[in-house]
Amino acid sequence: MEKMYSKKGGIPDLKELISILNNFTGIISLDNAKLYYINSKLIFSSLNDKKMDLNDIFKNIPEEFQIDALNMSSNRVNKLLERVSVNNLDEKSISKDIFVDVYGNIENYVGCGLFKVTLFPRKYKEEIGTILFSNKEEIAAIYQKKDKILVGPKALSKLKTIFAVSDVKICPEKISKQDLDETLGENKDAMLKNFVSFEELMEKIKEKSPKIVENDSLYNILPKNPSIVEIVEKNAVIVSNDKTPIMAFLENYDGDKAYRMIKNFCILNNTVFKIYELTEDEFKNIKEFKNAKIKDVN
């Protein structure tokens, strides 16, 4: 959790802040009001812990108030919302109150790691869908209608067509590898592609003996061959090839944002690096996590 904005101001200042936020996930606090965002989309707002529309909040707050914006993961936002009184929600989890009308918008509600998203079309109440994600990429799909079940690519195609005629309530939840295996055990042909979880891949890679480098710069230690560079103190990983960082993973962040945070940490701290050289297959597998690609290495 990181405070990215703090200022005493009014509604014009708040509107200006909202207008410049890009892919903001977190909470904007306005004295006793709170605005919950996932990917710059307002998903819940409250005043004195009571659910309230944003326009009504504007009518009930003073002309000047403290504005604080806290950046955090979507999983953390949902966890905080679970603590809000059940009286404020139709269901226990805010995830169950999310409606989307475009299939592509589902990815706004899943993050790094494994996620299961259950879909309930508003227009077709007898139908239900399940999509499993790994690092924001679909890896399995299941469609059910009474006694009819579709799995794999056919299920995904069917679920996508539903969005043309109905909006869909989605319930995203972060799951464990065990949860994934249980779901796939019941629907063995639901896989959309060959899949190895990031956690499994890293466990296998870390069975090797790493080269350990201390108190050197990130730029100096990047190897020529495809490699994993683990920043021990930060529980972070950079994938490099030809002495260039190409992917980055850090807790709930990946790609450019993760790389910037890792780079700044390495500049400010004496760092221990563990370097694992990758086989051709390991390098091929880890490049499947496309959302972690670094576009800007400067």
Side-chain angles (χ1 to χ4, degrees), residues 10-21:
I11 292 175
D13 300 286
L14 173 62
K15 289 183 175 179
E16 181 181 5
L17 169 63
I18 293 172
S19 70
I20 63 174
L21 289 176

Side-chain angles (χ1 to χ4, degrees), residues 103-162:
Y103 175 81
N105 289 343
I106 293 176
E107 70 176 29
N108 294 334
Y109 301 95
V110 299
C112 296
L114 300 173
F115 275 78
K116 177 171 126 178
V117 179
T118 309
L119 296 82
F120 302 93
R122 192 197 297 264
K123 192 173 180 180
Y124 305 106
K125 298 187 183 299
E126 74 279 8
E127 301 181 31
I128 184 171
T130 302
I131 302 177
L132 301 175
F133 288 82
S134 173
N135 292 311
K136 300 185 180 181
E137 289 192 73
E138 306 109 321
I139 59 170
I142 304 160
Y143 164 86
Q144 296 172 276
K145 179 183 178 181
K146 294 184 178 177
D147 57 350
K148 179 180 180 181
I149 297 179
L150 297 177
V151 294
K154 288 184 179 179
L156 184 62
S157 177
K158 176 64 177 178
L159 291 170
K160 285 183 176 181
T161 62
I162 288 174

Side-chain angles (χ1 to χ4, degrees), residues 9-249:
I11 292 175
D13 300 286
L14 173 62
K15 289 183 175 179
E16 181 181 5
L17 169 63
I18 293 172
S19 70
I20 63 174
L21 289 176
N22 183 30
N23 292 327
F24 171 68
T25 297
I27 295 175
I28 298 178
S29 175
L30 321 170
D31 288 343
N32 295 327
K34 288 185 173 61
L35 314 179
Y36 296 79
Y37 283 83
I38 292 180
N39 284 7
S40 294
K41 181 178 180 179
L42 181 65
I43 61 169
F44 188 77
S45 54
S46 66
L47 179 66
N48 294 321
D49 292 328
K50 299 294 183 183
K51 183 178 180 180
M52 184 175 289
D53 179 82
L54 184 58
N55 289 328
D56 290 330
I57 289 176
F58 286 165
K59 296 174 185 176
N60 286 277
I61 56 177
E63 291 186 6
E64 188 175 65
F65 44 85
Q66 179 65 34
I67 306 171
D68 292 310
L70 300 173
N71 191 35
M72 61 188 71
S73 69
S74 58
N75 189 47
R76 176 66 174 158
V77 172
N78 274 321
K79 287 291 184 185
L80 290 173
L81 279 166
E82 287 174 4
R83 300 177 186 174
V84 177
S85 170
V86 169
N87 293 332
N88 288 328
L89 302 171
D90 295 329
E91 310 218 34
K92 289 186 178 180
S93 170
I94 189 64
S95 297
K96 297 179 181 178
D97 294 315
I98 299 171
F99 281 85
V100 296
D101 56 6
V102 177
Y103 175 81
N105 289 343
I106 293 176
E107 70 176 29
N108 294 334
Y109 301 95
V110 299
C112 296
L114 300 173
F115 275 78
K116 177 171 126 178
V117 179
T118 309
L119 296 82
F120 302 93
R122 192 197 297 264
K123 192 173 180 180
Y124 305 106
K125 298 187 183 299
E126 74 279 8
E127 301 181 31
I128 184 171
T130 302
I131 302 177
L132 301 175
F133 288 82
S134 173
N135 292 311
K136 300 185 180 181
E137 289 192 73
E138 306 109 321
I139 59 170
I142 304 160
Y143 164 86
Q144 296 172 276
K145 179 183 178 181
K146 294 184 178 177
D147 57 350
K148 179 180 180 181
I149 297 179
L150 297 177
V151 294
K154 288 184 179 179
L156 184 62
S157 177
K158 176 64 177 178
L159 291 170
K160 285 183 176 181
T161 62
I162 288 174
F163 283 83
V165 291
S166 176
D167 61 348
V168 177
K169 182 169 74 171
I170 65 169
C171 302
E173 57 178 314
K174 192 162 189 177
I175 61 173
S176 66
K177 181 61 168 58
Q178 182 179 349
D179 295 329
L180 173 70
D181 291 340
E182 288 177 0
T183 301
L184 294 178
E186 298 169 0
N187 303 274
K188 295 181 180 178
D189 296 321
M191 293 295 291
L192 299 168
K193 59 190 290 188
N194 291 329
F195 168 72
V196 178
S197 75
F198 180 72
E199 291 77 13
E200 282 182 305
L201 190 55
M202 287 305 301
E203 282 181 16
K204 181 180 177 183
I205 291 169
K206 288 183 181 181
E207 289 175 358
K208 307 175 187 179
S209 296
K211 175 183 176 182
I212 298 177
V213 181
E214 298 185 42
N215 302 330
D216 202 344
S217 75
L218 180 60
Y219 296 104
N220 287 340
I221 60 93
L222 294 177
K224 175 75 174 175
N225 295 329
S227 300
I228 285 286
V229 178
E230 181 186 10
I231 294 82
V232 177
E233 301 92 334
K234 199 68 175 170
N235 192 26
V237 166
I238 286 177
V239 183
S240 72
N241 186 31
D242 198 21
K243 298 186 177 181
T244 302
I246 62 172
M247 304 176 78
F249 303 85

